[in-house]
Amino acid sequence: MVDLKLSEYFNDIYSVNEGIPEFEMLVNGEWINSDKKQDVVSSLDGSVIGRISVANHDNIDSMVNHAVEAQKEIEKMSLIDRIELLNKVKSEVISKKDELVNIIMIEAGKPKSAAEGEITTLIRRLELSEQDLYSLKGEFIPGDLAQDTVGRSAVLVRKPIGVVLGISPFNYPVYTSANKIIPAILGGNSIIIKPPSADPIALLALAEIFRKAGMPKGVLQVVTGSGSSTGDYLIENNQINMISFTGSTEVGEHITNVAGIKKLHMELGGKAPAIILKDADLDLAAKECVKGSLSLSGQRCDAISRILVVEDIYSKFVEKLKEHMSDFKMGNPIEDNSVNMGPLINKKSAERIDSMVKDAISKGCNLVQGGKYNNCYYEPTLLTDVTKDSIIANEETFGPVVTVIKVKDIDDAIEVSNNSKYGLDGCVFTNNISEAFKVMDRVKVGNMSLNVAPSHGTSNFPFGGIKYSGEGKEGIGKSIEEMTVVKTLIFDLSSFGLGKEYSGKFN
Ligand code: NAP
Ligand code: MG
């Protein structure tokens, strides 16, 4: 059994029962228990590493009521004090970095480099918080643009949206949550976070860091329990003003159907195409395609999940992909630190990938490498000549499968790319500028990359999907826009005795 090795600093967030740490929920500045618990299982070896509290309706009601009250307080806190608070959080995250990395490795099965990457990115995100504040600057609109507003002018300001509910996925449990918490607080909102049940512990630890750094009580609260049990009761709550959800299209669609009138920001699934054209640097493209497909075992919304190669260079490119398959070594990263690809989050995921691969094989693709699994450990797999009617050519993979499809030419590549319900990321590899521009312009996705695999990273470049990949833009300076509302303040200058000549101009 693997050990979380929590230091004294985190003593308040759990108690030990029969050797298993039982974690509590952060409600109004205090860690509280609930009557029901749920196991957290490490995908490394299937052992129970902890239990989380399953929120009941009373817990949810109390949390939302506290969030409403706390929002009135955080709104009064000056921006400079909000930034100062995040600076303190950053210092604490730096000092607790190794511990957070260890928790992520154990609960999410991530290799050390990936777990470290998640925390380093969090530190950078905290550092960049001040950038968010530029989005809070307002606008001035002169009234003499339209007959009916002559003599008036307007100032547009951004106000907090109120109570935000953030729901985050298992693949970046800490970073995705933090990328909602930071802009919510800077925007003057209170936020309730629901971490994924598969790997919620590192986020509970981060919430403790926020609490100890002096976060006013009730501004950040954490609700735990499976999505289906906290589920609709939480989502329907009409005191929640916004849901910022990152997760699967299926759950996103469910939330959209039950949420009622509130702002929805949806970061959902993807099926990123990588288009390889004949003028591409094939070595660069192959390296990026393998990395884009396999890193984090393919469990990334921005993963490359179909590689569309034009027929002129198809065979040559497949050879290059084969060479790069050995860039990834799969195994248990706790036992072997040369491993750079860990297990999938659970066995169900491995079984799902297995059935997709088998479907593709039955439809005539070529299994070049991999295709086997043991519990949560799915081998790095290369499928070539995948047919367009295969499930893996259409549905989000979320597993370590390099999926190669032959296309006729650039127009065919664009058509195949767009023949998808998803529209999150895409990329193209070519050194021909006009072809690059054509593909960048025509592929219908929210984020398109040239000569590099998609990667959302710190979200310095904001991202977000179209079609079934979602709605809204996440990232520095953009999430805060989603989490604030524009209020229009109209000033009738004639009431100050100013005439039409001053319509909108204070000169
Ligand atoms: P998921 O199954 O949709 O779960 C996401 C979150 O929703 C979890 O916290 C989950 O809680 C919760 N949830 C599930 N059912 C719910 C319900 N009925 N009501 C309220 N909450 C509910 O997604 P996942 O498997 O964790 O993550 C993988 C997916 O996330 C992929 O599709 C990936 O593409 C997507 N993703 C998108 C982005 C992006 O930026 N667009 C980024 C990362 C991931 P439980 O864990 O307790 O069930
Ligand atoms: Mg899931």
Side-chain angles (χ1 to χ4, degrees):
M1 187 182 131
V2 276
D3 184 2
L4 290 167
K5 293 188 242 154
L6 296 171
S7 67
E8 260 179 37
Y9 183 94
F10 295 111
N11 275 356
D12 291 344
I13 75 172
Y14 70 100
S15 54
V16 179
N17 185 6
E18 291 170 352
I20 306 281
E22 294 191 337
F23 292 89
E24 304 187 347
M25 294 181 290
L26 182 58
V27 181
N28 201 32
E30 281 172 30
W31 291 96
I32 62 136
N33 243 316
S34 73
D35 40 17
K36 216 172 132 196
K37 298 282 170 187
Q38 181 179 323
D39 287 347
V40 181
V41 175
S42 172
S43 58
L44 294 172
D45 62 2
S47 61
V48 175
I49 52 168
R51 292 194 190 96
I52 48 169
S53 300
V54 178
N56 59 35
H57 288 187
D58 287 345
N59 300 139
I60 291 174
D61 288 343
S62 123
M63 244 184 232
V64 176
N65 289 335
H66 288 306
V68 171
E69 291 309 310
Q71 194 275 321
K72 295 175 192 160
E73 297 309 311
I74 186 81
E75 189 170 8
K76 287 185 215 151
M77 191 193 244
S78 70
L79 287 175
I80 198 154
D81 287 344
R82 291 180 213 169
I83 286 287
E84 190 47 40
L85 179 67
L86 292 176
N87 278 335
K88 280 194 196 144
V89 170
K90 187 191 73 183
S91 307
E92 282 299 291
V93 171
I94 292 171
S95 75
K96 299 284 170 298
K97 185 177 170 200
D98 291 346
E99 207 167 343
L100 293 170
V101 166
N102 185 55
I103 302 173
I104 294 178
M105 287 179 75
I106 290 172
E107 64 175 344
K110 291 192 187 189
K112 189 160 191 199
S113 55
E116 270 177 352
E118 184 162 357
I119 300 303
T120 308
T121 312
L122 166 63
I123 294 165
R124 289 213 193 99
R125 178 67 184 88
L126 284 159
E127 261 159 21
L128 289 166
S129 296
E130 271 182 57
Q131 301 281 328
D132 285 292
L133 299 182
Y134 292 109
S135 299
L136 294 182
K137 291 185 175 173
E139 280 175 52
F140 173 82
I141 304 178
D144 56 349
L145 191 66
Q147 276 302 330
D148 62 323
T149 53
V150 169
R152 299 175 207 163
S153 62
V155 174
L156 270 49
V157 294
R158 285 197 168 267
K159 304 292 281 181
I161 198 161
V163 176
V164 177
L165 168 63
I167 304 179
S168 41
F170 77 82
N171 60 339
Y172 292 99
V174 177
Y175 188 72
T176 312
S177 302
N179 215 11
K180 299 181 189 305
I181 296 168
I182 294 165
I185 292 169
L186 287 176
N189 305 290
S190 56
I191 179 162
I192 298 171
I193 278 278
K194 198 210 97 52
S197 299
D199 47 11
I201 301 170
L203 188 270
L204 293 168
L206 179 68
E208 177 65 344
I209 290 176
F210 271 86
R211 189 178 78 98
K212 286 198 165 154
M215 166 67 65
K217 60 183 187 164
V219 171
L220 168 64
Q221 301 180 94
V222 186
V223 60
T224 51
S226 74
S228 47
S229 58
T230 55
D232 295 356
Y233 190 76
L234 181 59
I235 290 159
E236 282 167 351
N237 190 301
N238 61 16
Q239 294 195 91
I240 290 173
N241 306 100
M242 173 184 184
I243 300 177
S244 174
F245 173 79
T246 304
S248 61
T249 295
E250 192 190 358
V251 175
E253 196 168 16
H254 174 77
I255 291 174
T256 305
N257 289 334
V258 299
I261 299 177
K262 47 177 71 88
K263 169 90 178 263
L264 297 179
H265 181 176
M266 292 281 148
E267 292 289 342
L268 310 178
K271 189 72 197 163
I275 296 176
I276 320 297
L277 299 176
K278 66 178 191 312
D279 295 322
D281 174 337
L282 297 188
D283 287 306
L284 169 79
K287 192 170 174 30
E288 287 293 307
C289 282
V290 171
K291 186 179 82 180
S293 304
L294 298 184
S295 58
L296 214 58
S297 310
Q299 300 175 115
R300 296 170 19 250
C301 56
D302 53 7
I304 289 177
S305 72
R306 45 198 177 127
I307 303 170
L308 312 180
V309 189
V310 294
E311 55 191 20
D312 318 32
I313 51 157
Y314 186 83
S315 314
K316 206 168 152 193
F317 188 65
V318 166
E319 288 310 310
K320 302 260 181 209
L321 286 175
K322 283 185 200 167
E323 286 168 27
H324 282 283
M325 288 300 287
S326 58
D327 295 352
F328 282 82
K329 181 177 171 195
M330 189 266 286
N332 181 331
I334 294 278
E335 286 171 0
D336 177 353
N337 59 20
S338 67
V339 159
N340 61 356
M341 199 185 107
L344 292 172
I345 194 68
N346 52 38
K347 194 168 173 204
K348 212 170 121 205
S349 278
E351 289 164 354
R352 190 179 52 80
I353 304 299
D354 182 56
S355 75
M356 284 172 122
V357 168
K358 285 191 172 133
D359 167 79
I361 294 169
S362 77
K363 289 177 176 142
C365 86
N366 197 2
L367 171 66
V368 180
Q369 186 187 315
K372 292 198 289 296
Y373 72 102
N374 180 9
N375 284 317
C376 306
Y377 292 85
Y378 199 99
E379 294 177 348
T381 296
L382 174 59
L383 299 180
T384 59
D385 298 310
V386 173
T387 58
K388 290 173 202 160
D389 61 342
S390 305
I391 295 170
I392 207 162
N394 296 288
E395 294 302 324
E396 187 176 42
T397 313
F398 239 62
V401 185
V402 180
T403 302
V404 192
I405 300 173
K406 191 188 285 183
V407 291
K408 229 167 71 222
D409 53 22
I410 182 172
D411 293 315
D412 193 22
I414 293 169
E415 197 184 315
V416 174
S417 294
N418 290 342
N419 191 10
S420 171
K421 66 179 178 187
Y422 296 108
L424 188 55
D425 288 275
C427 59
V428 56
F429 289 85
T430 180
N431 285 327
N432 178 322
I433 189 68
S434 67
E435 294 203 337
F437 190 83
K438 182 173 172 179
V439 175
M440 296 288 281
D441 184 57
R442 299 205 184 158
V443 173
K444 293 188 168 67
V445 291
N447 330 289
M448 193 66 195
S449 305
L450 171 64
N451 289 341
V452 67
S455 168
H456 295 170
T458 48
S459 68
N460 183 29
F461 298 147
F463 59 85
I466 57 171
K467 301 198 273 186
Y468 275 74
S469 290
E471 166 63 32
K473 219 68 179 169
E474 191 144 284
I476 295 165
K478 290 294 174 196
S479 301
I480 196 167
E481 285 180 2
E482 304 281 353
M483 292 176 171
T484 46
V485 280
V486 173
K487 183 169 181 184
T488 309
L489 309 178
I490 299 150
F491 297 88
D492 190 331
L493 303 179
S494 63
S495 65
F496 298 107
L498 299 170
K500 284 185 182 182
E501 67 275 27
Y502 293 114
S503 55
K505 297 187 192 73
F506 293 113
N507 52 356

